[in-house]
Amino acid sequence: MEFAWNEADAAFRRELVEFLDRELVGWERSETGLGSAVHSDFSRGFVRRLAERGWLTPHWPEEYGGGGQGAWQHFVLGEEMWKRGEPRGPQYMNVNWVGPSVIKYGTQEQKRRILPPITRGEVFWCQGFSEPEAGTDLAALKTRAVRDGDGYVLTGQKIWTSYANEADHCFLLARTGSAADGRDGISVFLLPLRTPGVEVRRISGFVGDHSFNEVFLTEARVGADCLLGEENKGWEIVRRTLAYERVGAPRYARAALVLDRMAERCRADGLLSDSGVRERFGQARALCEAARVLVYRVIDERAKAKEPSALANQARAAMVQAERAVGDLALDALGGEALVEGALGDAQFRNSLGAGIAAGSYEVQLNLISRLILKLPKE
Amino acid sequence: MDFDPSPTQRALLDALGTLLSRSAGTDRSRELAERGAYDHVLEAVLRRDGFLDLFASEDAGPLEATLAVELIAAELGAVTPVPHLLVLPALGLEQPAGPVVASLDGPAGPVRYGAEATQLLLADGDRCVVAELDPAAAEPVPSAYGYPLARVVPAWHRELAAGTAGTLVNWWRVGASAEAVGMMRRALDLTVAYTKDRTVFRRSLGSFQALQHRLAELSVLVEGARWLVYEAAFNGAPAEASAVAAAHTMTALGRLTRETHQIMGAIGLTTEHDLHLWTLRLQAQRAELGGGQGPRRAAADARWAAAS
């Protein structure tokens, strides 16, 4: 047990920070707009510059265009990005779990076709999991994929698909078995969103620009080369994917950034001399820090190539608590100023309403902690 | 970065665990509490086996000393491991035999083992003072919270060099939080085990989701506090990290006390049941660290320096 950064990781962070300080001059989208057109346009240019330095997929194996670096360097990258409002845009999904899933389960042909555009930063992927009647209860999904000749025909509807409006491809779950098979009848498809029969519609929402899209699939035909892994074995891939997704985005880093800025504002306004306000700031800071250290614990597991465990659920729950605390404090401490569109804390509060819903609801995290860590019996 | 104990750390904790299984634990703790006594025997054994020297030893250090503090508290050792293992070595002071007490914020109120203590460490703003105590002058106060408490009367004292108040406060925050973490983990384990065994409405109590979620949230809080404490100790108890660790420990402690007792029901309120051995003592750590508000404000002050 020790908590020091090794020299290679520390040097990587220094070099990265220097690059970002130079590269992100004038980048002021640190709080808002992830998934917006403006953000995505910036991201498309920015990730190519990252890719040129090998910093888009540093943790991937070298044979797939990665830098062969460890889980910690990957995480340092994520932390520095989220501290700055995630200038990679939706790209973090590609690099965190779409690519790694293809590396683990894809055919040689799929790897050749799918991975290079990701490592070059040329594409956005989105995640087609939730449906109108299958969100937290994901195994209830109904979108069907029917084998037809040398391909599949996809019919159904996805919803709450973040970034579908900006994405080129979708990591899609569909039912290839019968509904009675539950999680044993689900497969993963790597779906190009330009496929005829695929329609994306925006849903108006107030939690960031990216959160709400619907994806309608009307007899959309894809080749068999779009199936990832074996037919009906998609749940295993999802399980792994979710473990990576849960702590893929170091959201505490953004919450901590917003908290710092709020504290600066409150200090300038004289509000921090109030001991009650200071207490709230200290508590929120502690929640951000607890989330950080629990996430680090998961990265340690990952760096040691252990199987993903329920520690990821603990870390995720802690991140949700941190995001909520900072969001609440924005409204409590900043008064009416926090209500102004784009104001400090405005996006944090609104995003925090979704923090416990995306990537597996807060309650699902608690269920998994109960079952897998505390070993409590099922109902 | 490595979250698994090293072979050395494992061996150390195994050895300490063996020692404590003989010289501490619930029975011993009940017996000493009955008499309101400090465990001089345990202190002597810990000293003999080198556990009081971990902080500055070659093959261990502050983190190992902190892990030991956690385990001693979890096993209800009736000694004062925070000053002996962490604070006195951090201040470069000799470790006297017998309990050492502290006050982090001005004159001391009732303190643990105050009636037997011969030394008081006191932080008062930027001042740091070591005071000799006269046990005969101490005034014991009755208390249900597991530790024998007394108001102490400082006799002779000397002021330590500028800057040492921070060292005292930061290491005490880390140490008392480590104690709390060890005790919270035991209380939580006990409660979780109870919910598995207890049947209500023909189901195990632990199968009710309303309780599962609360226990899961406790585990998130306690684990968060635990790793913040270890990290702060490893890094030498920096002001912000120590305050943050203590602040989060206090958040966990408040919730854990309420929830474990609520979930355990009336049996948990009896002296026959073990739960109170940890949950009542935890309130002493709470008082010592200034409740939730002290460390939270300190965390804010440390991070946003010109806060106040």
Side-chain angles (χ1 to χ4, degrees):
Chain A
M1 205 184 280
E2 53 95 5
F3 304 95
W5 293 98
N6 70 33
E7 189 38 47
D9 294 345
F12 175 65
R13 193 190 289 268
R14 282 195 300 272
E15 205 184 340
L16 182 64
V17 165
E18 194 184 307
F19 169 79
L20 294 173
D21 286 348
R22 202 170 55 235
E23 198 66 31
L24 295 176
V25 172
W27 164 253
E28 276 303 331
R29 318 215 68 75
S30 50
E31 269 204 88
T32 57
L34 184 55
S36 67
V38 175
H39 194 129
S40 295
D41 282 349
F42 179 88
S43 297
R44 283 180 201 277
F46 174 71
V47 292
R48 283 178 201 180
R49 294 195 290 282
L50 268 185
E52 283 164 15
R53 301 183 143 242
W55 286 350
L56 191 55
T57 52
H59 57 299
W60 288 15
E62 285 172 69
E63 58 179 310
Y64 302 118
Q69 293 173 351
W72 282 110
Q73 293 201 4
H74 170 220
F75 202 75
V76 165
L77 185 70
E79 201 168 45
E80 293 301 328
M81 293 298 166
W82 278 80
K83 270 186 196 167
R84 290 165 176 78
E86 189 45 283
R88 292 175 298 180
Q91 280 280 345
Y92 71 87
M93 294 208 286
N94 301 3
V95 302
N96 284 357
W97 57 265
V98 174
S101 297
V102 172
I103 289 171
K104 182 158 175 68
Y105 296 100
T107 63
Q108 287 309 318
E109 184 278 325
Q110 285 172 327
K111 291 175 189 172
R112 271 198 305 276
R113 176 159 50 87
I114 288 165
L115 299 177
I118 294 183
T119 57
R120 290 195 299 263
E122 293 169 357
V123 287
F124 286 155
W125 281 74
C126 63
Q127 180 195 67
F129 285 10
S130 290
E131 296 184 3
E133 292 177 59
T136 293
D137 180 14
L138 189 56
L141 66 87
K142 289 181 178 153
T143 292
R144 288 208 56 83
V146 178
R147 185 88 202 199
D148 183 46
D150 57 356
Y152 291 86
V153 175
L154 299 167
T155 304
Q157 181 190 351
K158 295 289 168 181
I159 195 165
W160 320 129
T161 318
S162 302
Y163 317 115
N165 53 311
E166 297 285 334
D168 309 287
H169 301 273
C170 181
F171 192 95
L172 182 102
L173 298 186
R175 188 163 289 290
T176 37
S178 78
D181 295 335
R183 50 183 67 170
D184 294 329
I186 293 170
S187 302
V188 175
F189 290 89
L190 305 169
L191 171 73
L193 283 170
R194 309 283 178 272
T195 304
V198 178
E199 190 197 345
V200 176
R201 282 189 214 154
R202 302 289 296 273
I203 302 173
S204 171
F206 60 85
V207 182
D209 296 323
H210 66 289
S211 289
F212 297 142
N213 292 282
E214 288 175 289
V215 180
F216 293 92
L217 302 151
T218 312
E219 297 189 1
R221 177 176 288 277
V222 296
D225 58 358
C226 286
L227 174 73
L228 180 66
E230 286 179 57
E231 205 176 89
N232 295 331
K233 301 280 192 209
W235 193 259
E236 164 63 16
I237 300 175
V238 172
R239 209 178 56 79
R240 293 188 68 88
T241 299
L242 288 179
Y244 281 93
E245 188 196 14
R246 273 171 189 140
V247 294
R251 293 163 166 275
Y252 62 81
R254 183 174 59 179
L257 164 79
V258 174
L259 188 67
D260 278 342
R261 292 198 175 164
M262 279 164 43
E264 282 162 26
R265 167 72 61 80
C266 284
R267 184 167 59 197
D269 294 347
L271 293 169
L272 266 195
S273 57
D274 182 298
S275 59
V277 172
R278 292 215 308 287
E279 199 178 322
R280 290 283 304 279
F281 271 91
Q283 185 172 26
R285 175 71 192 163
L287 284 162
C288 292
E289 284 289 274
R292 178 184 58 75
V293 77
L294 291 179
V295 166
Y296 281 11
R297 194 176 175 205
V298 177
I299 305 305
D300 179 54
E301 256 188 350
R302 198 176 287 173
K304 291 170 179 161
K306 294 183 185 171
E307 274 294 298
S309 79
L311 295 183
N313 305 105
Q314 274 185 333
R316 178 79 194 184
M319 279 202 276
V320 172
Q321 291 169 3
E323 287 189 89
R324 287 174 175 172
V326 177
D328 285 339
L329 185 52
L331 269 290
D332 290 342
L334 300 175
E337 291 301 325
L339 304 179
V340 178
E341 175 99 43
L344 195 57
D346 164 38
Q348 180 66 32
F349 176 74
R350 288 190 278 141
N351 285 333
S352 74
L353 292 173
I357 298 171
S361 72
Y362 183 66
E363 288 74 14
V364 165
Q365 315 298 339
L366 298 182
N367 283 348
L368 291 168
I369 294 165
S370 301
R371 199 130 320 132
L372 302 172
I373 295 179
L374 305 180
K375 314 274 185 209
L376 290 168
K378 277 196 166 186
E379 271 193 75
Chain B
M1 230 33 106
D2 186 352
F3 281 62
D4 290 318
S6 67
T8 316
Q9 289 165 340
R10 211 182 293 273
L12 174 92
L13 293 175
D14 283 350
L16 180 58
T18 306
L19 182 158
L20 292 167
S21 69
R22 286 193 217 108
S23 308
T26 54
D27 290 345
R28 174 86 178 143
S29 149
R30 284 171 185 276
E31 177 202 324
L32 288 160
E34 191 83 5
R35 292 191 274 125
Y38 178 84
D39 199 340
H40 295 278
V41 177
L42 175 60
E43 185 196 300
V45 177
L46 289 169
R47 180 172 281 116
R48 182 198 67 200
D49 291 358
F51 289 106
L52 303 189
D53 303 323
L54 290 173
F55 193 94
S57 89
E58 244 170 51
D59 47 359
L63 173 60
E64 287 69 24
T66 303
L67 293 169
V69 168
E70 179 194 347
L71 190 53
I72 291 168
E75 289 295 337
L76 299 165
V79 290
T80 52
V82 178
H84 279 120
L85 274 80
L86 297 173
V87 176
L88 293 167
L91 290 169
L93 299 176
E94 291 290 315
Q95 301 164 342
V100 175
V101 297
S103 175
L104 303 187
D105 192 16
V111 288
R112 303 188 244 170
Y113 306 108
E116 293 188 66
T118 54
Q119 196 173 81
L120 166 74
L121 302 168
L122 186 140
D124 190 4
D126 292 334
R127 288 178 63 229
C128 184
V129 164
V130 183
E132 300 304 319
L133 299 173
D134 176 7
E139 181 194 329
V141 293
S143 170
Y145 293 86
Y147 296 109
L149 297 185
R151 295 181 203 281
V152 294
V153 181
W156 170 92
H157 74 264
R158 68 187 165 105
E159 200 142 327
L160 298 182
T164 44
T167 306
L168 163 59
V169 170
N170 295 337
W171 276 111
W172 202 284
R173 282 191 177 126
V174 169
S177 299
E179 286 189 298
V181 162
M183 295 166 72
M184 290 195 290
R185 291 174 73 193
R186 288 299 161 89
L188 182 58
D189 288 350
L190 198 68
T191 306
V192 168
Y194 174 79
T195 66
K196 291 177 192 171
D197 293 340
R198 174 79 176 157
T199 301
V200 288
F201 303 112
R202 291 193 294 269
R203 284 167 57 178
S204 103
L205 184 60
S207 71
F208 286 88
Q209 201 179 41
L211 303 189
Q212 290 184 346
H213 283 189
R214 285 151 62 186
L215 290 166
E217 284 188 320
L218 287 184
S219 84
V220 174
L221 287 173
V222 172
E223 285 298 299
R226 178 182 164 211
W227 292 100
L228 284 174
V229 167
Y230 296 168
E231 190 188 50
F234 178 83
N235 288 320
E240 184 189 335
S242 307
V244 158
H248 203 63
T249 300
M250 288 301 115
T251 300
L253 190 159
R255 275 283 288 285
L256 176 125
T257 306
R258 289 268 160 234
E259 294 284 41
T260 52
H261 275 287
Q262 179 61 29
I263 290 169
M264 189 78 84
I267 188 72
L269 303 178
T270 64
T271 49
E272 183 191 329
H273 197 282
D274 285 343
L275 181 63
H276 75 285
L277 298 176
W278 291 282
T279 54
L280 290 182
R281 281 175 175 76
L282 278 168
Q283 309 317 309
Q285 268 93 344
R286 183 182 195 161
E288 207 165 85
L289 288 176
Q293 56 198 6
R296 283 180 197 137
R297 285 178 200 160
D301 292 346
R303 175 137 193 101
W304 301 289
S308 45

